[in-house]
Amino acid sequence: MENQEKPATLPRIGEPAPAFKAVTTQGEINFPEQYAGSWVILFSHPADFTPVCTSEFMTFAKLEGEFNKLNCKLVGLSVDGLFSHIAWLRTIKEKIEYKGMKGMEVKFPLIEDITMEVAKRYGMIQPGESSTKAVRAVFVIDPKGIIRTIIYYPLSLGRNFDELLRVVIALQTADAFNVATPADWRPGDEVIIPTAGSCGVAKDRMESKEEGITCHDWFFCTKKIDKETVLKKITGK
Ligand code: BEZ
């Protein structure tokens, strides 16, 4: 193993988000410490002044209020410098009109990472795709600073923002109600009740026909939680 570079440990779901300090378009940040108590989406984009990234930033700016209602803040990153970030965000605000979005102001911090230190630590540099640009990474981090979801997209593929909102809502719902969320779940759909500790208990549950619970088999029971109850619990409204 002599002279071989040690592979970097990549962040993993269920582990603390790696800490760093960085310069951003909104001043310095101390991540994730200063976000304690909030959910945060840390995301990367390949480069300023590129079209897919521009469409994404306009959409992030449009939806920032929706994320904030979920107590979720946004933090962007690319390996460009601060002056490039500032010039690009000004261009977006002053010049770009796209899909009904106009005058979009990006108010959340955009990290400059010209040394790629943060990007490398977070596995955002994936040389098979590009060794000079970050891929489109998404890290959803909870109020305790734990990584709860990681999604990576390639350079050519813009993110699905319905999915990003759905991920935050589903994670918060799972925490608040001690449930899991099935395929394509959206608020108002049935949720999954964790399998009880033993087959015996689960079998009892199947046979007792608890009110509001449907068991498809001993390991697969669901119940309805209506949309208003979900949203009230997670947003407090
Ligand atoms: C884009 O955002 O359009 C883009 C950025 C880097 C490579 C390819 C596309």
Side-chain angles (χ1 to χ4, degrees), residues 92-110:
I92 288 175
K93 183 173 173 218
E94 292 176 0
K95 294 196 182 150
I96 311 282
E97 185 171 354
Y98 174 68
K99 280 196 163 177
M101 297 180 281
K102 193 180 175 192
M104 302 312 292
E105 191 174 354
V106 172
K107 297 183 183 143
F108 55 83
L110 174 51

Side-chain angles (χ1 to χ4, degrees), residues 8 12 19 27 53 61 67 126 132 166 168 195 205:
R12 291 188 288 208
C53 302
F67 285 104
Q126 304 199 1
T132 56
R166 192 190 79 94
V168 176
T195 306
R205 182 203 269 167

Side-chain angles (χ1 to χ4, degrees), residues 18-36:
F20 63 85
K21 289 189 177 135
V23 171
T24 84
T25 49
Q26 305 291 327
E28 288 193 11
I29 59 168
N30 183 2
F31 194 92
E33 197 178 304
Q34 80 181 64
Y35 292 93

Side-chain angles (χ1 to χ4, degrees), residues 8-20 42 118-124 126 137-139 141 146-152:
T9 321
L10 290 178
R12 291 188 288 208
I13 290 175
E15 295 182 358
F20 63 85
L42 172 68
V118 179
K120 284 184 178 162
R121 182 68 191 87
Y122 271 82
M124 293 164 172
Q126 304 199 1
V138 179
F139 290 86
I141 297 161
I146 302 297
I147 297 173
R148 300 290 298 276
T149 297
I150 302 173
I151 311 174
Y152 290 113

Side-chain angles (χ1 to χ4, degrees), residues 4 18 36 46 76 160 223:
Q4 277 187 359
N160 181 312
K223 71 175 176 185

Side-chain angles (χ1 to χ4, degrees), residues 96-212:
I96 311 282
E97 185 171 354
Y98 174 68
K99 280 196 163 177
M101 297 180 281
K102 193 180 175 192
M104 302 312 292
E105 191 174 354
V106 172
K107 297 183 183 143
F108 55 83
L110 174 51
I111 295 168
E112 77 155 0
D113 189 28
I114 38 184
T115 62
M116 298 193 189
E117 205 178 313
V118 179
K120 284 184 178 162
R121 182 68 191 87
Y122 271 82
M124 293 164 172
I125 303 296
Q126 304 199 1
E129 183 71 349
S130 171
S131 47
T132 56
K133 293 176 173 63
V135 294
R136 299 180 199 281
V138 179
F139 290 86
V140 183
I141 297 161
D142 75 13
K144 292 184 176 144
I146 302 297
I147 297 173
R148 300 290 298 276
T149 297
I150 302 173
I151 311 174
Y152 290 113
Y153 297 76
L155 302 191
S156 64
L157 176 58
R159 284 163 268 228
N160 181 312
F161 286 78
D162 282 344
E163 175 63 358
L164 300 187
L165 280 165
R166 192 190 79 94
V167 166
V168 176
I169 293 170
L171 291 170
Q172 294 183 354
T173 300
D175 288 359
F177 295 93
N178 188 29
V179 295
T181 48
D184 293 332
W185 179 85
R186 294 200 166 264
D189 293 347
E190 289 188 326
V191 295
I192 292 176
I193 307 165
T195 306
S198 74
C199 298
V201 177
K203 195 162 168 285
D204 287 350
R205 182 203 269 167
M206 271 203 86
E207 282 163 7
S208 77
K209 307 232 179 325
E210 276 176 60
E211 208 178 317

